[in-house]
Amino acid sequence: MLNDRTIRATAPKDKPYKLTDIDGLYLLVAKSGSKSWKYNYSQGGKQKTKTYGKLAVLSLADARRTHLQYQHELLIRSPSARPTLAEVTKQWLHIKLPSPS
């Protein structure tokens, strides 16, 4: 989990690199030294990246709030991300019923 001190201490390197935070949120540090908040996820079997904004505009706390809100929106928009009643029932039965020997 990142903190403000760690973020301020980051410096550019020969290649872009990530500093991971929570729930998939990360700070991408570019070779140029610019820093952007991003999130990689898959939707419909495709890899996607959401860019929230640059560190100069979006603080760590703001990035976390924005990320949490975006994850919530993804769940609402994507019914496939939510388990169906049948899936939940099947999982529950698998846990509760004795396995055949």
Side-chain angles (χ1 to χ4, degrees):
M1 195 157 101
L2 293 175
N3 59 47
D4 290 325
R5 179 184 232 173
T6 304
I7 292 169
R8 282 193 306 271
T10 61
K13 296 181 180 179
D14 293 340
K15 295 180 180 180
Y17 65 98
K18 298 176 185 178
L19 296 174
T20 58
D21 192 46
I22 54 172
D23 295 327
L25 177 65
Y26 65 92
L27 184 67
L28 180 67
V29 182
K31 291 187 328 183
S32 65
S34 73
K35 301 170 186 174
S36 299
W37 294 108
K38 296 184 177 257
Y39 171 55
N40 294 335
Y41 63 100
S42 61
Q43 189 175 38
K46 295 182 181 181
Q47 182 70 21
K48 297 185 177 196
T49 300
K50 171 70 175 170
T51 302
Y52 296 116
K54 296 204 178 278
L55 177 62
V57 179
L58 201 62
S59 70
L60 173 59
D62 290 338
R64 285 178 178 162
R65 274 191 292 276
T66 304
H67 180 57
L68 185 62
Q69 182 180 4
Y70 186 73
Q71 285 183 312
H72 180 73
E73 289 171 11
L74 281 177
L75 284 175
I76 291 171
R77 286 191 313 223
S78 176
S80 63
R82 294 186 299 249
T84 65
L85 178 59
E87 291 169 337
V88 172
T89 304
K90 184 177 176 181
Q91 291 172 2
W92 184 84
L93 287 172
H94 180 72
I95 291 168
K96 294 294 182 182
L97 293 178
S99 60
S101 307

